[in-house]
Amino acid sequence: MTGDLNQDSAVLTEVTSAGEAVLAALPPKPARDAEQQGRADQVHTSGRALRAAFLRHHTEAVYDELTGGGPRPRIDELVESAAEAFPGLVPTRGQLAAEQELPQAEKEGREIDQGIFFHEVLRSPQAGRHLLDSMRKPTRRALDLLPEFRRTGRLRLGAVDIERGGDGGARLTVVNNHCLNAEDNRHVEDMETAVDLTLLDPGVKVGVLRGGVMDHPRYQGRRVFSAGINLAHLHEGRISYVDFLLRRELGYIAKLLRGHCPDQSSAWPAPLPDKPWVAAVDTFAIGGGAQLLLAFDHVIGAADSYFSLPAAQEGIVPGAGNLRLGRITNGRVSRQVILWGRKIWAHEPDGRLLFDEVVDPKEVGDAAERAVARLASPAVLANKRMLNLAEEPPEQFRLYMAEFALQQAVRLYADDVLGKVHRFAGKSRSVRGTVAA
């Protein structure tokens, strides 16, 4: 790298184009022999080293060129613009579309190049802060749906239903029934829309999240909070690095914790952009569902429910769980849960560190109603804001997410992960196809 953006960009394009020519001459990944796969690995390794070096020299300049003077981008828009402005830096729309048609194990792993990009962008104080703020803006879908929600007080979004009550509570119910409320790309889209609507509607004072009633034979008639990431979809290559793994952390979970990024306003004092949130947990909160609880202001658990974060067993990183669990419990408990796969029941002593209230399973709904009334107090928002600033400063979150962006992308294509999720082949509608990290 010379330090000159145009010259280094030309080198990047030239070298990565040569690498693409080598890959194009090889058979598809499943048909390669060991020598051919070794050649492909060399292309990817050298290309990724070059991309990382390019960004270490030019992250701020690249980000400025992609965003200068325009509206705040979301991560999908940013990475798509980067593919056009700096050929070879990240995969193109066509390359990603081709990969989306393949099972995870048959892909080239081009999303790792996106991980390199977001790792460097988030490491940059200026670019990283700007991107995090951008992701906390309301989505266009939510803004379009807001008039209808304010008029009717209810919407069915697909994976999530939302209803506003007369007490100022918005009830979000996850209805991904076919997979025990496991998370997939659609779930993340619908959850962010529902969270946005809750934050945008002035008639809502408190948000409540609960799982719906299941129709799966094993849990017939029971509510389930969340079964984590849908491992069957991960095996099938249908879990997106950008639209799922990054978006859920930088989008709706960040909004649960901190609310929307406020617009510049002449009003004084500026209105606080967040609202308090209640989680009502039935049966289990596994993996991604367990991660969610760490961002809520009040967590109610049925006495027969449990918390589980088996990320190390599945091979991936549990979002911001590593950042938050040790703060809420302690370092030893955090390691037992994340590295060892410990399950914590709501009724056991350590469950009191994760659940604010533990109630009879029949009383979860009533406890949630009481929590809405309690958290609607005017002083709650200011105190929530100060607690979050003390417990998780924004800069700490930015630096954590910079490393997460890279490590999660790499783990997504690691051999051990691909081997583990292979057992979920053909189980898209199976309970075991969803219980995951």
Side-chain angles (χ1 to χ4, degrees):
M1 297 289 102
T2 66
D4 179 90
L5 178 62
N6 292 329
Q7 186 173 340
D8 290 346
S9 179
V11 170
L12 175 69
T13 300
E14 180 181 357
V15 173
T16 55
S17 294
E20 289 299 328
V22 173
L23 293 175
L26 296 173
K29 187 175 179 180
R32 294 172 190 163
D33 59 29
E35 188 273 335
Q36 291 169 331
Q37 186 56 49
R39 238 184 303 165
D41 291 342
Q42 287 180 337
V43 168
H44 289 307
T45 299
S46 61
R48 286 163 188 161
L50 181 60
R51 292 179 182 102
F54 174 78
L55 286 166
R56 280 196 297 271
H57 282 79
H58 302 296
T59 296
E60 287 80 6
V62 167
Y63 193 81
D64 287 346
E65 183 162 329
L66 298 177
T67 62
R72 289 182 180 270
R74 290 181 61 81
I75 50 176
D76 57 331
E77 299 166 338
L78 183 68
V79 79
E80 187 170 317
S81 297
E84 296 176 359
F86 299 95
L89 181 58
V90 291
T92 66
R93 181 189 293 184
Q95 288 172 326
L96 289 172
E99 294 253 289
Q100 287 171 358
E101 301 299 318
L102 302 173
Q104 194 75 5
E106 296 182 14
K107 298 182 181 185
E108 294 289 350
R110 297 186 184 277
E111 289 174 312
I112 295 175
D113 301 332
Q114 294 178 322
I116 294 168
F117 175 78
F118 285 112
H119 172 64
E120 296 296 339
V121 168
L122 288 166
R123 280 181 62 195
S124 162
Q126 181 176 346
R129 291 168 192 156
H130 185 273
L131 182 58
L132 292 179
D133 286 349
S134 300
M135 287 300 293
R136 285 175 46 222
K137 292 291 185 180
T139 61
R140 172 49 53 191
R141 182 188 183 202
L143 292 170
D144 290 343
L145 289 172
L146 180 60
E148 181 183 355
F149 179 63
R150 293 191 64 183
R151 179 177 60 83
T152 65
R154 63 182 63 192
L155 286 174
R156 293 194 171 191
L157 301 173
V160 182
D161 294 343
I162 178 171
E163 183 171 352
R164 182 185 62 241
D167 58 355
R171 279 77 177 174
L172 282 62
T173 305
V174 184
V175 289
N176 241 3
N177 294 8
H178 70 283
C179 58
L180 294 180
N181 286 341
E183 293 187 85
D184 51 27
N185 287 3
R186 186 187 75 168
H187 176 276
V188 171
E189 164 76 21
D190 292 342
M191 272 298 298
E192 185 165 12
T193 302
V195 170
D196 279 342
L197 290 170
T198 301
L199 294 170
L200 288 167
D201 188 340
V204 173
K205 305 301 180 186
V206 182
V208 179
L209 180 65
R210 192 179 185 187
V213 177
M214 298 295 101
D215 54 16
H216 191 281
R218 185 172 171 185
Y219 295 93
Q220 183 76 39
R222 296 179 61 185
R223 288 181 181 267
V224 166
F225 188 74
S226 174
I229 189 174
N230 191 319
L231 287 178
H233 280 198
L234 179 56
H235 164 74
E236 295 163 3
R238 295 162 59 191
I239 295 293
S240 166
Y241 168 75
V242 167
D243 292 327
F244 180 99
L245 292 166
L246 272 190
R247 178 179 177 178
R248 72 186 295 273
E249 301 298 333
L250 305 184
Y252 86 82
I253 298 180
K255 292 172 180 178
L256 288 172
L257 197 68
R258 301 189 187 278
H260 286 145
C261 179
D263 291 317
Q264 296 297 326
S265 172
S266 59
W268 191 94
L272 295 178
D274 48 358
K275 292 178 181 177
W277 287 89
V278 177
V281 181
D282 302 274
T283 310
F284 50 67
I286 298 175
Q291 295 166 35
L292 286 182
L293 302 189
L294 307 178
F296 276 77
D297 301 295
H298 191 77
V299 178
I300 299 161
D304 60 352
S305 65
Y306 67 84
F307 173 104
S308 175
L309 205 57
Q313 283 68 47
E314 302 300 342
I316 59 177
V317 180
N322 307 64
L323 174 65
R324 294 171 180 151
L325 182 58
R327 183 190 76 230
I328 290 174
T329 59
N330 62 56
R332 292 264 58 88
V333 170
S334 175
R335 282 166 172 76
Q336 291 164 13
V337 171
I338 293 174
L339 303 182
W340 201 253
R342 178 186 172 189
K343 180 189 298 183
I344 297 181
W345 291 88
H347 60 74
E348 66 179 282
D350 282 345
R352 299 293 177 167
L353 302 172
L354 297 163
F355 298 88
D356 299 291
E357 291 185 69
V358 179
V359 300
D360 184 281
K362 296 178 182 178
E363 298 177 2
V364 172
D366 290 340
E369 299 305 310
R370 292 193 297 269
V372 169
R374 188 74 173 266
L375 291 176
S377 168
V380 166
L381 280 185
N383 282 289
K384 169 178 176 167
R385 184 175 183 85
M386 301 312 294
L387 284 168
N388 284 337
L389 287 172
E391 293 174 349
E392 188 179 299
E395 284 299 278
Q396 182 187 37
F397 178 67
R398 177 181 65 80
L399 292 172
Y400 177 90
M401 290 309 303
E403 189 63 21
F404 170 82
L406 180 60
Q407 296 302 329
Q408 189 74 303
V410 172
R411 294 306 304 158
L412 199 56
Y413 291 92
D415 290 340
D416 62 310
V417 173
L418 298 178
K420 289 171 182 176
V421 301
H422 180 71
R423 70 186 188 274
F424 295 101
K427 296 184 179 180
S428 286
R429 297 187 61 83
S430 165
V431 56
R432 283 299 306 145
T434 61
V435 175

